[in-house]
Amino acid sequence: RALEARLSCLLHSAGGAAGSGATEAASPEPAAAAEWLQRHHACAADLARRRLIGREPVAAAAASVRRWVERASLSALQSAAVPVAELAEAEASVRQALLGRFHRAASLPGTTQMGPGHFEALAVALLCLEDAGHRVEDRRLSDAIAGQLRGGLEVWPLAALRALFGEASETPSGLLRLSRRSAPLAAITSAV
């Protein structure tokens, strides 16, 4: 019990590396925050596996990770891809939170069209997580991303489209890399 109480105290203390409350995802070091959350979750899971503590601290650690994922910017998810991917593989609830975060990023309210920079950030964050070992994907997300791309092709400035299609760079853009892994996006990009 004392160990469980100490783990809970560490998790909820503002002095932890990940912080607490609304500042978790806004941390200037998102990778460090995600790594701290990952270590905390791994320690709690290990202690629970060895039956030294109950499941409550593991659930509390997973809840903290979910809150961080739900609030994280796309660039924070990108820079913390390795620990976030590992956490998503370890915890089903984190996988669901991550999928929900990308649904919100890709599905803007009403008929709002995301800008080309937001689209590229979304593509790069998805690719970083996939490269780290966790693929974030479902039909609804794929459809939302494809819809944003179709809509963007009609309204984005020509310079932004050139950047998205990699004309100004030797390295392929996130859009082009993502379209290699997604048949619906490949169909849209090949028609352009």
Side-chain angles (χ1 to χ4, degrees):
R1 291 281 172 221
L3 187 54
E4 287 181 9
R6 180 67 181 134
L7 283 171
S8 292
C9 180
L10 282 172
L11 185 61
H12 296 294
S13 72
S20 65
T23 61
E24 284 179 4
S27 168
E29 299 288 335
E35 287 168 6
W36 187 88
L37 289 167
Q38 178 192 27
R39 279 194 309 274
H40 187 276
H41 180 270
C43 287
D46 180 54
L47 291 170
R49 227 181 345 272
R50 294 190 289 164
R51 297 181 183 189
L52 296 172
I53 61 172
R55 294 292 304 161
E56 294 83 13
V58 179
S64 290
V65 173
R66 285 192 309 272
R67 277 191 306 276
W68 187 89
V69 164
E70 290 165 353
R71 296 173 180 162
S73 66
L74 293 172
S75 63
L77 290 171
Q78 176 186 343
S79 66
V82 171
V84 170
E86 290 174 5
L87 283 160
E89 290 298 313
E91 276 289 333
S93 64
V94 174
R95 277 192 300 279
Q96 285 306 109
L98 194 57
L99 184 59
R101 174 65 185 93
F102 280 102
H103 280 168
R104 284 191 313 280
S107 304
L108 298 175
T111 59
T112 306
Q113 176 64 51
M114 73 172 63
H118 184 81
F119 188 92
E120 181 68 5
L122 176 69
V124 171
L126 286 168
L127 290 164
C128 286
L129 284 162
E130 187 174 327
D131 291 346
H134 180 71
R135 187 170 189 152
V136 181
E137 185 176 42
D138 72 353
R139 180 65 181 207
R140 192 174 120 213
L141 180 59
S142 295
D143 289 348
I145 293 170
Q148 287 290 341
L149 179 58
R150 277 191 295 278
L153 290 174
E154 296 175 11
V155 297
W156 292 334
L158 186 57
L161 290 172
R162 285 189 175 132
L164 282 175
F165 282 92
E167 291 181 17
S169 173
E170 291 182 20
T171 59
S173 67
L175 165 64
L176 292 179
R177 291 182 10 233
L178 191 61
S179 68
R180 291 179 192 146
R181 301 174 190 190
S182 166
L185 292 180
I188 296 168
T189 59
S190 65
V192 175

